[in-house]
Each structure stands twice: as structure tokens, then as C-alpha cells.
Amino acid sequence: MATSLLRIPPPQGLLRPLAVPERLLLGPGPSNVPPRILAAGSRQLLGHMHPEVLQVMDEIKAGVQYAFQTQNRLTLAISGTGHCAMEAALLNVLERGDTALVAVNGIWGQRAADIARRLGILGTSGAQEMGGCQNGELWFAGLARHKPSVLFITHGESSTGVLQPLEGLGELCHGHGCLLLVDAVASLGGAPIFMDQQEIDILYSGSQKVLNAPPGTAPISFSERAREKMLRRKMQPPSFYLDMGWLASYWGCDGEPRRYHHTAPINSFFSLREGLAMLAELGLESSWERHRANCTRLCQGLQDLGLELFVKEEKVRLPTITTVSVPKGYDWKEITAFLMDKHGIEIAGGLGPSVGKVLRIGLMGCNSTSSNVERVLSALRDALRCCRHSRL
Ligand code: PMP
């Protein structure tokens, strides 16, 4: 018998069947994927340049234009998660020596500032107290003083549960020769946003929140102003994979024949297409209303349990992700573990600057239902009874 040359045996874990438990995902994302989207993602593969796939990409583009309320021709989905879209936005519109003004009132501003710094961008950030929104005066002063080329702001700050009002900000930026870049990963489809009417220049989101698709694709769009800034670049963008010139060509956004750039995650595109189709069928206004109504129910129920909402001002509460202060006498990790172990429900603790301060409950897309509100409230009632820590 020939002796084997293999020194590493097949891993035992891989010889067992894949184990995926049933879980209700009511954290800040991902949210559960409904059967229709799961089915789309498990369809047989086609080639990434086949006309049927290019057609799906065109449908995604139209779906993103609807969800963003934009006519921008440079609209597509990045093959990557929300962070990838954040990097794509920053590294395509900014180049070394440019200045970016970054609004920091949670983790996403911190991350954007970090990415900008790595790109050699002169970053300057305006911070605001957590749990509140950014105020216009801060921007007015920042724009006049620093003369940035881009202002970054997060629409739905998922680490704190704040919905940032955007009214007038695009106009203000343009009056200072600055582009407005908005992160709507956690808010798209759950709260109104109007890319063209609000004069947003770069807008991106993610697939795994209200769109209910698996993580891994990220809608993004650039205004004509942003496109012109990209065309004026002195140097190529520092990433080939995220070079918008190449991506525009692959997505058929530049009126030229499509060119292969990378092998697209085709089945993820199928899923994203279905997520966007479900949003189009429901209609944006109904989707916003559904998220608003269930968030209001949840907030009322949380207060009835004696919990304190972290975002005090009702009109700046993010309808997709609700935050409560960690109740006195409790360890937040015990509460999240209790919900997971005893009720099969995921909720989350804080993130970045809100760690240890809040619990986060997400109701996004198909997960935004009154029965899920009841389920999570009843699980929390149980947790508050069982997890009280006398030593805390
Ligand atoms: N921005 C916001 C507001 C988010 O909530 C998230 C994800 N939680 C991201 C960006 C990053 O997205 P991803 O985890 O898909 O990279």
C-alpha cells in the first residue's frame, strides 16, 4: 500500500454536516433573509458576462436608483459589504492632500476618519455628544474654516440609534464647494432619504439590513458633481478593485461596451435584486411607515418595561435600530446571552463608543413586524426578571 504524503488530515468539523440554528436576528444587522431571497441566492450560477446577469445588474441599478431616489447614471452595487462601499466612496472622490470633514457621533464617523487618514487625506472631524444628532452650526463653521472637499456624515448611526436630519446640508456643502457623502447602511428603506432632492453627492448602503439580503453587496451612487471631481483626479485611485472607472464600465454606466473587471458575486446579485424588488413592490413610503410604526410600538413597550430610551428626542430616533440604556443593576452581556440562549433572539450591546452603555434592537425590512415587537418585549421582560445582579 502506498504511504500517503499528506501530513494534514481532513478537518473533522468539515466531515460533519453544516449546522445553522433557527434564530431571530433583531440586532443591528444582518436581519433574517426571507424565503424568496434565499431561493434567489441558491439559483444555478451563470457567467458574470452573460446577458441575463447583465440584465440583473441593470435591474439592481434601477432598484438602487429607486431606493436612493436618484437619476444618477453612476449607480451600482459594490461587491463587498458596507465598509467596502465606504472605502470606495472615500478613495475615489478624495486624493492625497484633499481635506475631508467627518461628522463623528458614533462609530461610523470614526471609521470614515480612519479610512481617510490611511489614504493620506487631511482629516478633520467634528464630534458631537453621543445620542444626539449633529447640528448645522458645527458644519457651517467647519466648512468655512477647513474648506474640505468632502463632508462625511452617517444618516442612521447604528451604534447609537440616531437618525441624522439632512435637510439643507447638501445645499450648504455646495455653497462651500464641498461634496456631501452620506452613509445610509442602517437607514435605507427604513427612513426617508432623497439623494437628488437633498443634493447628496455620494450615497451608499448595504444589503443585509432593510433589504434583507445576505451581507456582501453594497449599493452606491455618485452625482454628476462627484463624477466630475473623480474625472479631475491627478492620480488613479489607490485601489484597482474599487476603481469607479472600472466598475462604471463593468456596470454599463459609461455608455461604453461592458468590460470584465472582476467575477461578480453573481448569486449575491440575485439576492440583492430580490431584496430591491421586494422594496419596490412594497413601496418606499409604506416601508418607511412600517418601520416608523413598529419602532414607535417598540419604544412604548420598552418604556413600559421601565427601560430608558437612549435617544431622548423622538424625531431623531432611527426607526430601524432602537437603543436603550443598559438598566442599572444588570450586565448587558447577560441580557443578550439570555435572549439568545432562552429565546433564540439576537439583540446586541453597544458598538465602539456606545459599548457598555446601550442595548440595540433592530427591526429591519421583513423583521419589522408587530409580532416581532411582541416577541422581543416578552423576551426582555423575562430577562429583566432573571438576570438581575445583586452585586452590580
Ligand atoms: N455603516 C453603518 C451605519 C452600519 O450600520 C454598518 C454595519 N453595521 C456599516 C456602515 C458597515 O457595514 P458592513 O458591516 O456591511 O461592512
Side-chain angles (χ1 to χ4, degrees):
M1 207 173 87
T3 48
S4 172
L5 295 175
L6 301 180
R7 294 288 172 269
I8 313 291
Q12 284 307 302
L14 287 182
L15 302 179
R16 289 190 288 271
L18 172 70
V20 183
E22 281 284 315
R23 222 159 251 172
L24 180 58
L25 304 180
L26 300 187
S31 45
N32 292 90
V33 180
R36 171 172 166 184
I37 297 179
L38 282 178
S42 65
R43 299 291 287 269
Q44 182 51 274
L45 204 54
L46 295 171
H48 56 284
M49 298 300 281
H50 291 189
E52 296 81 0
V53 170
L54 301 180
Q55 167 80 27
V56 167
M57 291 164 74
D58 285 345
E59 288 162 5
I60 289 174
K61 178 175 170 170
V64 175
Q65 285 171 328
Y66 171 68
F68 284 7
Q69 288 293 290
T70 184
Q71 297 186 3
N72 292 336
R73 59 186 167 136
L74 186 45
T75 300
L76 49 86
I78 299 280
S79 301
T81 68
H83 277 94
C84 211
M86 188 190 286
E87 289 208 320
L90 290 164
L91 69 81
N92 277 284
V93 290
L94 291 163
E95 53 188 326
R96 201 167 272 281
D98 277 345
T99 301
L101 183 59
V102 178
V104 181
N105 63 341
I107 194 171
W108 304 110
Q110 290 179 348
R111 292 262 164 114
D114 183 340
I115 294 171
R117 215 173 301 118
R118 288 165 194 247
L119 292 169
I121 308 304
L122 308 170
T124 161
S125 53
Q128 187 90 1
E129 200 189 321
M130 256 203 322
C133 59
Q134 301 275 338
N135 73 46
E137 276 161 42
L138 195 73
W139 301 126
F140 200 73
L143 289 167
R145 196 157 134 235
H146 302 292
K147 306 198 174 12
S149 345
V150 168
L151 167 64
F152 172 95
I153 196 156
T154 308
H155 186 222
E157 194 21 280
S158 53
S159 62
T160 58
V162 171
L163 180 71
Q164 171 67 42
L166 299 172
E167 283 66 38
L169 198 50
E171 235 181 314
L172 180 67
C173 285
H174 294 151
H176 286 81
C178 171
L179 298 175
L180 175 60
L181 161 55
V182 177
D183 175 321
V185 172
S187 56
L188 184 75
I193 192 161
F194 303 91
M195 184 171 194
D196 289 356
Q197 282 141 273
Q198 291 175 323
E199 296 191 27
I200 298 168
D201 294 292
I202 309 109
L203 182 62
Y204 65 85
S205 190
S207 53
Q208 75 273 27
K209 308 238 178 187
V210 169
L211 294 176
N212 290 128
T217 54
I220 194 166
S221 180
F222 294 81
S223 70
E224 278 309 305
R225 274 194 186 88
R227 242 172 53 82
E228 278 159 22
K229 168 123 178 49
M230 289 192 277
L231 290 174
R232 286 197 306 271
R233 288 186 72 95
K234 293 195 256 332
M235 281 168 304
Q236 286 185 310
S239 162
F240 178 82
Y241 190 62
L242 297 176
D243 183 329
M244 224 19 91
W246 274 98
L247 289 172
S249 164
Y250 180 36
W251 278 83
C253 300
D254 58 2
E256 301 290 325
R258 302 200 195 214
R259 277 185 304 166
Y260 159 71
H261 171 247
H262 67 286
T263 308
I266 293 144
N267 295 58
S268 301
F269 284 179
F270 293 166
S271 305
L272 178 63
R273 189 246 180 234
E274 287 304 278
L276 288 163
M278 287 174 73
L279 181 62
E281 285 166 18
L282 175 63
L284 275 173
E285 282 153 331
S286 306
S287 182
W288 297 333
E289 174 51 25
R290 169 205 270 192
H291 286 84
R292 192 204 59 75
N294 287 318
C295 173
T296 305
R297 276 189 197 105
L298 177 65
C299 288
Q300 188 54 56
L302 291 167
Q303 286 173 302
D304 293 346
L305 290 178
L307 293 166
E308 191 191 336
L309 298 175
F310 186 66
V311 181
K312 301 290 173 260
E313 215 184 323
E314 189 178 346
K315 72 173 197 307
V316 299
R317 277 185 206 136
L318 180 58
T320 46
I321 298 165
T322 299
T323 42
V324 285
S325 301
V326 175
K328 286 211 173 59
Y330 290 87
D331 178 345
W332 68 267
K333 285 192 195 128
E334 279 189 26
I335 298 181
T336 54
F338 182 90
L339 260 71
M340 182 72 91
D341 299 343
K342 298 278 185 301
H343 294 267
I345 299 178
E346 179 198 41
I347 66 161
L351 181 66
S354 66
V355 168
K357 297 188 171 69
V358 298
L359 290 167
R360 297 181 297 154
I361 304 158
L363 293 168
M364 289 182 271
C366 301
N367 274 359
S368 172
T369 61
S370 51
S371 63
N372 282 345
V373 172
E374 291 312 315
R375 261 187 83 177
V376 73
L377 286 174
S378 131
L380 276 169
R381 192 174 302 114
D382 202 12
L384 292 175
R385 209 162 16 84
C386 299
C387 300
R388 193 171 183 91
H389 244 255
S390 49
R391 63 185 163 79
L392 284 178

